[in-house]
Amino acid sequence: MEEFIAEQQTLFINPSKGRLNLEQVVSEIVDFIGEDPDLGYSLVIGSDSQVRRENGVQEVDFVSAIVIHRQGKGGRYFWQKIKRTKVYSLRDKIYQEVFLSLELAQKLVPVLKDNLTDFAPYDLEIHIDVGEVGPTREMIKEVVGMVTGNGFIAKTKPESYGAFVVADKHT
């Protein structure tokens, strides 16, 4: 797990701005909110993973995304990718996705608090790539408990667009 923590020091990618570090991501979020501060916003972190075979070697791409959604008026997102060659079961992959999202949230919250006067940790949603349909349905209580136990709002499919739409786009 330490390797995941170390690798989350990497840069984020934004489709418009290119590569950004965490402080630059926060600056972009603050500027975006500042453009129209009276509207409602959702701040989301979600992760997804995809198994690939390349030259006979199995790789797992883990992608974490930070999304700032201006309700009814679009949003911005930032993502980062970590590659692993370890073989994961479905349960292990989902746990790693949630772990990555929580680790990112733990890094993001203090920086946001320093830059947004009205920000509270409970404003942040963690989107989890599990739902009532499919093989992940048995894990919902476990992973939602992990997120809520860390003080964040947990969203699952079909509300977890940060994981199964945004992060999935880059896996």
Side-chain angles (χ1 to χ4, degrees), residues 29-75:
I29 291 170
V30 170
D31 290 349
F32 185 68
I33 292 171
E35 291 171 7
D36 206 339
D38 295 329
L39 291 177
Y41 292 86
S42 297
L43 184 61
V44 169
I45 293 178
S47 297
D48 193 20
S49 61
Q50 181 69 43
V51 177
R52 302 189 189 289
R53 282 212 174 270
E54 197 166 306
N55 299 325
V57 176
Q58 179 176 307
E59 283 187 339
V60 182
D61 293 339
F62 288 94
V63 173
S64 295
I66 300 171
V67 180
I68 182 69
H69 178 225
R70 185 180 290 150
Q71 295 167 357
K73 299 211 175 195

Side-chain angles (χ1 to χ4, degrees), residues 75-89:
R76 305 239 169 101
Y77 73 94
F78 312 86
W79 62 276
Q80 64 181 187
K81 184 183 289 189
I82 298 170
K83 290 183 180 274
R84 286 275 146 253
T85 55
K86 181 180 175 186
V87 176
Y88 294 89
S89 68

Side-chain angles (χ1 to χ4, degrees), residues 144-159:
V144 166
M146 287 171 60
V147 171
T148 57
N150 278 279
F152 300 107
I153 298 167
K155 298 284 184 171
T156 61
K157 288 179 179 176
E159 298 176 311

Side-chain angles (χ1 to χ4, degrees), residues 61-169:
D61 293 339
F62 288 94
V63 173
S64 295
I66 300 171
V67 180
I68 182 69
H69 178 225
R70 185 180 290 150
Q71 295 167 357
K73 299 211 175 195
R76 305 239 169 101
Y77 73 94
F78 312 86
W79 62 276
Q80 64 181 187
K81 184 183 289 189
I82 298 170
K83 290 183 180 274
R84 286 275 146 253
T85 55
K86 181 180 175 186
V87 176
Y88 294 89
S89 68
L90 177 61
R91 180 174 294 279
D92 290 340
K93 282 187 354 175
I94 298 295
Y95 281 149
Q96 289 297 336
E97 291 169 11
V98 174
F99 177 74
L100 286 170
S101 293
L102 288 171
E103 284 293 317
L104 183 52
Q106 296 296 338
K107 290 178 183 176
L108 186 63
V109 166
V111 183
L112 279 171
K113 277 185 172 180
D114 290 343
N115 289 278
L116 284 173
T117 55
D118 293 336
F119 179 77
Y122 53 80
D123 292 332
L124 179 63
E125 298 177 359
I126 303 289
H127 287 196
I128 311 167
D129 192 20
V130 296
E132 294 290 338
V133 178
T136 60
R137 68 182 172 274
E138 297 170 3
M139 298 180 63
I140 291 174
K141 286 183 183 177
E142 297 168 44
V143 292
V144 166
M146 287 171 60
V147 171
T148 57
N150 278 279
F152 300 107
I153 298 167
K155 298 284 184 171
T156 61
K157 288 179 179 176
E159 298 176 311
S160 60
Y161 63 88
F164 81 90
V165 175
V166 179
D168 178 71
K169 178 178 181 175

